[in-house]
Amino acid sequence: MTTVSTGAAVRSRRPPAALSVLAIVVAMCGVVIAATATASRAAVCNGYVGLTFDDGPTGSTSSLLSVLRNNGVRATMFNVGQNVQNNRSAAQAQVAAGMWVGNHSWNHAHMTSMSQAQMQSDLSQTSSAIQSATGSRPQLFRPPYGETNSTLQSVASSLGMRQVIWDVDSQDWNGASVSQIVSNASRLQAGQVILMHDGIQNTRDAIGQIMANLTSRNLCPGMISPATGRAVAPDGTNPPPGGGTPPPPGGSCTATATTTNVWGDRYNTSVTVSGATNWTVVVAITPPQRATTTWNGTATWDSTGSVLTMRSNGSGNTFGFTTMFNGNSSARPQIRSCTAT
């Protein structure tokens, strides 16, 4: 899997030998799948989520695509360059099935240990392999293990790609059972992205239940916007109002933000709420900074990906998030409102 290292919320790492990449959004591939299923879901979509599968294509890609098609799902496949080169037909099948394809590096190496020139060569080679196989050049990049820094993000940007991590980790790479994968996916909120992997049977077996849960909450699979890194409708439009918007009027409370840890490329923010046990806090993050990980609350985002709405989820009155500098190391998040709910 891919992991963002944070002081307060560290995700487990998967050995380098594990699966390598998941689909990054390709510019509109123009393929429509399961039109009747898509139309029926579209009528009740109050928001969109990004289902992503790393490390393909694999020998199981055709099985995964079959499950996705049967459930009316379009997803983002973050592909490893050498896997695409060795299995061009599988990459082509992804696009033919209506999936979006992104860049997950050439061979799933630890890229933050590379020089800038090595990063450039790796990502460029991968994008070229994907374009050669599918006809579309990736617009999204997911760093192996979620390990990133400002140099890597700058290189990805120079190649026309937006970096995408994830909001929810399915833990499929860590031997999670079908029920555990379904439970983890049930935390998805509008605009968010989940990490899954190509080639894992439990993941394929969980898709139907994941979709049932999303449908019950009027959430639908969407594409990941190259502009914001958030999930939007498959046609690229913003989700309808509801995800990441300010809460309705209610009682007052107070939210205090503190920077708890600072590293070379990111920092952690801790927010403490007083005056309410059930609350909604709206936080603004200054672009090009981008929050990548949240904890102790239920997070949603606006269409820009820069306004975070955090709701209490029973984990107490302190929540936090990790923000990547992305070239701006001086700005800090601003509390817009705190509402008792």
Side-chain angles (χ1 to χ4, degrees):
M1 81 168 239
T2 50
T3 299
V4 177
S5 300
T6 70
V10 179
R11 301 180 188 271
S12 303
R13 295 171 186 260
R14 163 175 70 73
L19 305 172
S20 72
V21 110
L22 180 50
I24 272 179
V25 173
V26 172
M28 307 310 283
C29 58
V31 178
V32 178
I33 61 164
T36 55
T38 302
S40 64
R41 284 197 175 93
V44 295
C45 291
N46 288 337
Y48 298 89
V49 297
L51 306 183
T52 66
F53 297 86
D54 284 9
D55 301 344
T58 72
S60 299
T61 295
S62 61
S63 297
L64 173 60
L65 293 177
S66 178
V67 172
L68 294 176
R69 283 195 301 265
N70 289 341
N71 284 276
V73 176
R74 297 181 69 183
T76 300
M77 323 303 284
F78 285 103
N79 285 344
V80 174
Q82 65 179 5
N83 291 355
V84 173
Q85 179 174 269
N86 294 333
N87 198 347
R88 289 169 55 91
S89 62
Q92 292 163 357
Q94 291 172 337
V95 174
M99 308 303 147
W100 299 280
V101 178
N103 185 319
H104 196 44
S105 83
W106 182 253
N107 60 0
H108 211 277
H110 293 274
M111 297 195 70
T112 53
S113 63
M114 295 180 178
S115 67
Q116 181 171 346
Q118 289 172 323
M119 293 175 181
Q120 189 88 21
S121 176
D122 185 294
L123 297 190
S124 178
Q125 184 180 14
T126 302
S127 287
S128 294
I130 291 172
Q131 183 173 20
S132 174
T134 68
S136 297
R137 198 165 185 86
Q139 292 182 302
L140 300 179
F141 163 63
R142 172 167 286 166
Y145 312 101
E147 297 171 346
T148 190
N149 56 30
S150 58
T151 302
L152 182 56
Q153 291 182 72
S154 176
V155 168
S157 180
S158 73
L159 293 171
M161 296 185 294
R162 183 182 187 89
Q163 177 178 280
V164 175
I165 309 294
W166 58 84
D167 302 288
V168 175
D169 183 350
S170 71
Q171 291 284 309
D172 62 352
W173 58 272
N174 200 26
S177 66
V178 172
S179 62
Q180 288 171 332
I181 293 172
V182 172
S183 176
N184 290 333
S186 70
R187 302 200 308 270
L188 275 170
Q189 301 296 320
Q192 292 188 334
V193 174
I194 184 172
L195 169 71
M196 295 181 284
H197 292 83
D198 192 332
I200 298 180
Q201 181 68 53
N202 282 353
T203 303
R204 296 195 295 274
D205 291 344
I207 298 301
Q209 295 179 62
I210 290 173
M211 282 304 303
N213 175 269
L214 292 175
T215 300
S216 73
R217 295 188 290 138
N218 292 336
L219 295 175
C220 301
M223 67 175 282
I224 300 173
S225 167
T228 66
R230 311 303 297 169
V232 297
D235 63 1
T237 59
N238 290 330
T245 57
S252 63
C253 56
T254 301
T256 304
T258 304
T259 301
T260 55
N261 303 93
V262 180
W263 295 273
D265 59 348
R266 65 195 186 282
Y267 62 96
N268 282 353
T269 299
S270 177
V271 179
T272 301
V273 179
S274 58
T277 55
N278 293 311
W279 40 262
T280 299
V281 177
V282 178
V283 184
I285 297 169
T286 303
Q289 291 189 0
R290 182 72 53 177
T292 58
T293 308
T294 64
W295 55 92
N296 292 350
T298 299
T300 56
W301 298 84
D302 76 339
S303 61
T304 70
S306 296
V307 179
L308 164 67
T309 298
M310 186 74 85
R311 294 174 172 83
S312 54
N313 67 354
S315 299
N317 280 4
T318 298
F319 67 89
F321 51 94
T322 299
T323 305
M324 305 303 299
F325 285 134
N326 291 344
N328 182 348
S329 60
S330 59
R332 293 294 182 268
Q334 301 294 314
I335 303 295
R336 283 191 175 180
S337 66
C338 184
T339 304
T341 57

